[in-house]
Amino acid sequence: MVIMDCTLRDGANVVGDGFSKELTQVMLDGLTAAHVPIIEMGNAKGLGAYEISGARAALTDLEYMELAQPYLSRAQVGMFLNASRFRSENVAAAGEHGLSFLRVGSAAGDGKKTEEVIACVKKHGMKAFYSQMKAYLLPPEELAEEAALLESFGADEITIMDSAGTMVPEETARYVAALKEKVRVPVGFHGHNNLGMAAANALAAYEAGADIIDCGLLGMARSAGNIAT
């Protein structure tokens, strides 16, 4: 089991839509020095949000990509992409800047609409990670069926995202076990702390076989925060 640190993306919600150049560099230095293997960074709302949705982070997507350059050999560094903001030119720019992955996000049940997005990420030489946002919208078995479809589209990793932080450990374990039975790619868990269950859910996910746990420095993330790194 490995961790994906999301401070520089989800954690940016605590300061607006993105961290400054100075804070981004400080955290990238620290995370890579600590050998954190996977780092998600950029605009809190994801790739393209700055231009498409007016989510004004401290820097543009391209500026965050430039900041990432010295760290690309030290960790897998990538960005989030809400499928609703997909633009092929933005994906191409991420690939040209050498990002390791883009994590495509869409609400549970909408995965069938993301085949083109996943294909575009792969076309530009990056791993296509995927977040099943609001995972609780589907029962575990149906979420697992969707995960199998996403794997057939080319997804390289699939994350169960407890977007509202309402899941409890027993539920988390059922979701992870269902996905592990259906797919061969790594399964991740992203838990928010609205009920104070983030750490307990992370442990339950690990015990059920999760391969990746999302987290943030000091638990920084949207709403009540994420699992503390």
Side-chain angles (χ1 to χ4, degrees), residues 18 33 64-65 100 113 118 126 147 152 160 172 175 195 214:
Y64 283 120
M65 290 176 195
S100 297
K113 304 175 184 177
I118 293 171
M126 295 172 286
S152 75
I160 299 163
T172 298
Y175 275 93
L195 296 181
D214 288 7

Side-chain angles (χ1 to χ4, degrees), residues 41 61-71 79 97:
M41 65 174 293
D61 292 327
L62 290 177
E63 287 171 326
Y64 283 120
M65 290 176 195
E66 290 294 338
L67 275 185
Q69 295 306 300
Y71 306 95
M79 289 181 167
H97 281 80

